[in-house]
Amino acid sequence: MNINENIRWLLSFYRTSEISGALFFGQLARSMKPGIIQHNMTQQFADEAQHSRYWTDCLNKLDMEPFKLARSYQDYYLKAAGLPSNLMEVLAITHVFELRVFEQYSHHKKIISQPKIVLQTLETIIGEEVWHLKWVRKALKNMEIEYGVNEVQSTIKRFMEADKAAYLKVTDEYQDRIETMMTA
Amino acid sequence: MVDEKQFFSDMANILACPEDKISAKTKMLDLVDNSFTLVELIIEMQELYGISFGQIELKSVENVGQLQDLFNID
């Protein structure tokens, strides 16, 4: 596979995933009543939309146009995980989702030889993702009083299993391309 | 104690739809335009009635009558 084509595809994959993430969290935010959790969720979906823009800018700076990709991991996620039915489950699904994103970007950062602009974009986004992980983890911790530690932990575990199933289904091409880049 | 009529009225209020659209036989998916509206409805109803349940209990709910059972509405 051509290196440039791989870069273009991977950045387009992130761009599409961020758009899907923004829509996903935006709809979840709308399902909540006003308060700190809705406020933070609103910030989060605004961030996801911005991240998509960062990837578009990054592609353009590399003189590349994004690919239009038909499927994203997020599109399969709800199908595998099922609808959350209370606020704790909304937060648990968000937590698992953010862990996946963080893991993907951190993995990509390990590619030794890649354009500087890609690395800069990854660092900017990862910095913001850290805040996503923090606020959700804190909110989930607070939920332990109402739902119990075991219930919160078992819900996270259930969504993590769904996440694995969704991820395996849709990311074959992503894995191929990132591994090619890692070993190039 | 909340009765069926009140339950339907509260649902209609949250969904902003006519009350007569809701009966025990109404399918949940016929009441919402997308799956996230269902999330909104379920979360708001739980808060309104002070009841908490999760995805596992909700899994078998297909119509309003089954949701009533979950909320213990006669």
Side-chain angles (χ1 to χ4, degrees), chain A residues 13 46 54-55 63 83 121-122 157:
Chain A
F13 176 83
Y54 296 163
W55 286 125
D63 285 326
L83 283 174
T121 307
L122 279 169
K157 193 172 167 229

Side-chain angles (χ1 to χ4, degrees), chain A residues 45-82:
Chain A
F45 81 74
D47 286 349
E48 310 282 351
Q50 281 283 65
H51 295 172
S52 161
R53 190 176 66 82
Y54 296 163
W55 286 125
T56 310
D57 289 347
C58 182
L59 278 154
N60 290 343
K61 281 176 186 164
L62 292 167
D63 285 326
M64 293 172 180
E65 286 296 321
F67 283 119
K68 177 163 174 53
L69 301 177
R71 43 177 212 177
S72 79
Y73 151 70
Q74 285 89 336
D75 296 331
Y76 291 82
Y77 195 75
L78 264 191
K79 203 172 177 189

